[in-house]
Amino acid sequence: MATTTSTTVDVSDGQQDIIILEQSGSYYGYLGKDGEGFHHHVDEATNTVYVTPDRAERFLPENAGVYWFRVRGEADHIEELERDEDRDRWIAYVDSVRGWTDRPVHIDVTAIFAKMHEGDRR
């Protein structure tokens, strides 16, 4: 007769210590929350999307000029995008598969600045 031993391991505390992404506000982007409750974060430096169950933590390091963002836990998915245009494809893909429940409004600053400076004579 074989004896088996079962072990229960609580990994939730350890998973919270795992830092998936830590980036300055200059290189961090947030795409939104999908229909399954996952948050989509972007590392602008590497053009990588991180899909996680939690939002990012915002913090200001000592002597820093911009806020930083930290994402902890376990990633549901990591998608390395090849080009900036691929981000729009990712957004459309998520929209068709999971949908978006919390999606930031895309702001085209070029159009805003053009409108602001209409009539300028420089």
Side-chain angles (χ1 to χ4, degrees):
M1 180 161 105
T3 305
T4 58
T5 310
S6 77
T7 306
T8 304
V9 178
D10 183 11
V11 293
S12 61
D13 291 337
Q15 288 174 348
Q16 288 303 316
D17 292 337
I18 298 171
I19 297 173
I20 298 168
L21 173 64
E22 186 171 271
Q23 193 59 273
S24 78
S26 302
Y27 295 104
Y28 171 80
Y30 180 70
L31 296 179
K33 184 177 179 183
D34 67 33
E36 294 180 13
F38 289 95
H39 299 271
H40 295 246
H41 315 271
V42 180
D43 181 342
E44 304 278 355
T46 63
N47 207 21
T48 304
V49 176
Y50 295 85
V51 183
T52 69
D54 298 309
R55 286 199 66 134
E57 161 194 351
R58 186 177 87 153
F59 65 100
L60 186 61
E62 190 174 324
N63 297 323
V66 297
Y67 280 97
W68 279 62
F69 294 86
R70 181 182 297 134
V71 180
R72 297 178 187 262
E74 193 171 318
D76 177 63
H77 183 77
I78 298 173
E79 186 72 26
E80 295 177 6
L81 305 175
E82 293 182 23
R83 301 176 310 227
D84 288 339
E85 302 84 44
D86 291 343
R87 188 175 308 178
D88 292 333
R89 288 187 188 102
W90 177 258
I91 291 167
Y93 170 75
V94 172
D95 193 33
S96 69
V97 174
R98 295 181 175 186
W100 293 100
T101 59
D102 176 21
R103 178 90 174 86
V105 177
H106 176 71
I107 298 175
D108 182 2
V109 294
T110 307
I112 293 171
F113 286 132
K115 186 77 171 167
M116 285 173 49
H117 295 287
E118 255 178 22
D120 284 357
R121 297 177 193 243
R122 291 188 186 179

